Amino acid sequence: MTTREQRDAYLKEAWYNLFLLRAEDVIIDLLTDSGTAAMSSEQWAGIMRGDESYAGSSSFYRFEASVREVFGFKHVIPMHQGRAAERILFSVMCKPGQVIPNNTHFDTTRANIEYTGAEALDLPIPEFYEPALSHPFKGNMDTEALRRLIGRVGPGRIPLVMLTVTSNSGGGQPVSMANLREVRDICSRYGIPLYLDACRFAENAYFIKLREEGYQEKSVKEIAREMFELADGCTMSAKKDGLANIGGFLCTNDDLLAQQEKDLLILTEGFPTYGGLAGRDLDAIAVGLQEVLHEDYLEYRFASIGYLGRHIAGAGVPIVEPPGGHAIYIDAKAMLPHIPSDQFPGQALAVELYREAGIRSCEIGSVMHSAGNTHDEEKKPAAMELVRLAIPHRVYTQSHVDYVIEAILQVYDRRESIGGYRIVQQPPFLRHFSARFEPYTSSLARRLPAYANSILVA
Ligand SMILES: Cc1ncc(COP(=O)(O)O)c(C=O)c1O
């Protein structure tokens, strides 16, 4: 537990960037659901079975069998986490001048594509950009826009199409099987491979079961398998729906590509039967991938996330509707309309939630996603200014969630007094992880002449 005075000091020390706080100074940590799961007794038992042989460990074969059973792809290549899979996939498949469409790219996906010189393009349906609007499959890709893109740039400049299930950048929103099938058909017509960013595949499959006609009687596992059968491969961060604290993998059905990916893996990650992981991590993932498909578990997870969403939305807090599968997203632009995008309303709200109650959340707006994301000052603002409250798997109870609800409502009550921020230092890419901020008023005061400064302070 911390006091408000302590949190004021910690915020200052961390340059108002919540990634730079010490975790022990956080009371409820909703920064991410990535790698923060509480592992089950079966996963810990798997850890104890870990075989740490350099090559060909039995842990790898248990991992490979589990991934194959759920995902069904021919080649399964372990990685230390999702972005390693992205880097290897895009290094092999992308080059400057190419375009990689997605429903919405997440931060690391976008950055790894741009690092190759290719362009990462978001093609969500228009409803995606309206936070208050409810739609059962807001994560769908705009298939007309995909057709237009192929017509405009030609299939030769599109090395792959991606679909992120669920779409993390804008609400944890699912992609329907019908949309997946339509995108698959378009890709097949033009000979373009389709890859899934599969981090939250089980949550996406459960949404399909709940919301899409014809899937109510199917198991989540069967639905997941049907999703993967429509793709040529996937990237996966096992830190999400693998329920593991570290790990990921890359899958493909293409023999030549798999060989190139494994060659690169040996150069930077490790031998293809461990890929930068310990044998025990592979065992934890093998178990987690099966457990995440338990429907009673998914039902509980969706119910607790919906509970948080309903309670704050009911009191007037604007959220992305409907609640997502792993998080609630507050619409900071709607909640703090007096803070312009270039003063980062999402960052301001995330800072206030920490100051109020020690709750750590994550800005998903112009800090994370503004176009360019480089040093140049003239960046386009992000389409939405969101704060994500991601719920770690199997960690918090209803009383923790009640505490979060109370804190959000307190911040909401004093929303008009909240001010914006400016960036004083940032890296060339993925700036949200390490950028330094200061309150906008103090930076303004510093730049004004001394007499004006004293007026402002008064
Ligand atoms: C949709 C999506 N893709 C990729 C990643 C990257 O995974 P990792 O953090 O394991 O590198 C994340 C992580 O948050 C994600 O949410």
Side-chain angles (χ1 to χ4, degrees):
M1 301 301 287
T2 50
T3 64
R4 199 188 162 103
E5 290 68 35
Q6 285 173 325
R7 292 194 292 271
D8 276 337
Y10 298 148
L11 278 170
K12 238 179 174 167
E13 274 168 36
W15 292 91
Y16 302 94
N17 184 336
L18 304 186
F19 282 99
L20 304 182
L21 289 171
R22 286 170 184 250
E24 67 175 10
D25 298 332
V26 174
I27 297 174
I28 304 277
D29 205 344
L30 307 183
L31 183 68
T32 178
D33 60 330
S34 178
T36 53
M39 286 205 294
S40 68
S41 48
E42 280 306 312
Q43 283 179 291
W44 281 105
I47 292 241
M48 294 300 145
R49 271 195 299 272
D51 173 1
E52 304 304 340
S53 306
Y54 187 92
S57 72
S58 51
S59 293
F60 171 74
Y61 291 107
R62 284 190 286 272
F63 161 85
E64 187 187 48
S66 179
V67 176
R68 280 231 181 93
E69 188 192 330
V70 177
F71 289 64
F73 295 111
K74 188 170 174 194
H75 301 280
V76 178
I77 309 173
M79 303 276 166
H80 81 269
Q81 63 183 97
R83 70 198 70 184
E86 291 164 0
R87 190 187 63 79
I88 289 190
L89 176 70
F90 302 141
S91 303
V92 171
M93 292 192 83
C94 305
K95 52 178 192 267
Q98 294 182 326
V99 187
I100 295 84
N102 199 331
N103 47 355
T104 47
H105 289 280
F106 199 59
D107 57 352
T108 56
T109 324
R110 174 178 302 283
N112 273 296
I113 288 173
E114 289 173 354
Y115 198 70
T116 68
E119 182 191 349
L121 188 69
D122 291 345
L123 296 179
I125 54 171
E127 291 87 341
F128 176 82
Y129 290 116
E130 291 186 53
L133 189 84
S134 207
H135 183 289
F137 292 103
K138 233 175 174 178
N140 282 353
M141 180 176 268
D142 182 341
T143 47
E144 270 319 303
L146 178 63
R147 283 196 188 90
R148 280 198 302 275
L149 174 77
I150 297 171
R152 182 163 58 81
V153 306
R157 271 182 60 201
I158 304 176
L160 72 157
V161 171
M162 289 196 86
L163 276 174
T164 304
V165 293
T166 59
S167 167
N168 187 10
S169 293
Q173 302 293 326
V175 177
S176 71
M177 195 70 84
N179 188 253
L180 242 155
R181 196 164 285 118
E182 206 184 333
V183 173
R184 165 82 265 172
D185 288 346
I186 298 170
C187 288
S188 298
R189 194 165 325 138
Y190 294 100
I192 305 172
L194 172 63
Y195 274 68
L196 299 187
D197 177 340
C199 296
R200 298 180 181 84
F201 74 95
E203 290 169 6
N204 199 89
Y206 192 53
F207 273 123
I208 290 175
K209 183 178 171 99
L210 295 179
R211 296 182 183 168
E212 194 162 352
E213 219 186 306
Y215 287 92
Q216 282 66 47
E217 301 311 317
K218 291 197 174 167
S219 71
V220 174
K221 198 170 192 168
E222 287 168 326
I223 298 170
R225 210 32 207 272
E226 194 174 323
M227 285 162 48
F228 291 123
E229 275 164 11
L230 294 169
D232 297 290
C234 74
T235 55
M236 173 71 187
S237 169
K239 298 173 72 177
K240 285 84 169 172
D241 279 0
L243 301 179
N245 301 130
I246 193 69
F249 47 91
L250 176 55
C251 292
T252 178
N253 287 331
D254 184 318
D255 296 339
L256 179 63
L257 211 57
Q259 195 51 55
Q260 291 171 327
E261 288 163 355
K262 285 182 192 171
D263 291 346
L264 198 52
L265 186 83
I266 291 174
L267 186 68
T268 59
E269 291 273 312
F271 192 71
T273 60
Y274 74 87
L277 293 167
R280 54 182 173 270
D281 300 325
L282 295 169
D283 268 304
I285 296 167
V287 176
L289 287 175
Q290 303 294 328
E291 287 182 349
V292 77
L293 294 165
H294 291 183
E295 296 183 18
D296 46 2
Y297 157 74
L298 286 164
E299 184 184 353
Y300 176 79
R301 181 160 174 78
F302 278 34
S304 51
I305 291 168
Y307 175 88
L308 169 59
R310 268 197 319 281
H311 276 78
I312 60 171
V317 178
I319 65 166
V320 173
E321 295 283 5
H326 69 291
I328 291 296
Y329 293 63
I330 300 178
D331 180 356
K333 198 191 262 183
M335 179 165 159
L336 305 174
H338 58 285
I339 304 182
S341 282
D342 62 359
Q343 290 175 33
F344 311 120
Q347 188 67 20
L349 178 56
V351 165
E352 283 321 300
L353 288 175
Y354 177 74
R355 197 194 309 278
E356 180 74 32
I359 297 165
R360 179 155 66 170
S361 54
C362 183
E363 192 263 11
I364 298 194
S366 287
V367 177
M368 184 185 278
H369 282 311
S370 77
N373 218 357
T374 59
H375 275 303
D376 67 90
E377 287 283 308
E378 292 305 315
K379 286 193 241 348
K380 271 202 276 167
M384 293 186 283
E385 304 290 348
L386 305 176
V387 170
R388 185 186 68 181
L389 303 156
I391 310 297
H393 302 260
R394 303 189 292 213
V395 173
Y396 291 117
T397 65
Q398 184 170 341
S399 59
H400 295 111
V401 176
D402 286 336
Y403 172 86
V404 172
I405 292 168
E406 244 177 77
I408 293 171
L409 297 187
Q410 275 162 16
V411 172
Y412 182 66
D413 283 346
R414 62 176 175 80
R415 60 192 180 281
E416 279 158 22
S417 67
I418 298 171
Y421 284 81
R422 81 182 273 268
I423 292 179
V424 291
Q425 193 180 310
Q426 61 179 326
F429 37 76
L430 293 173
R431 66 178 178 176
H432 50 290
F433 288 117
S434 56
R436 293 177 170 193
F437 301 85
E438 65 179 15
Y440 189 78
T441 44
S442 71
S443 68
L444 185 67
R446 229 195 27 234
R447 280 194 256 142
L448 288 171
Y451 72 91
N453 217 335
S454 61
I455 293 168
L456 259 177
V457 171

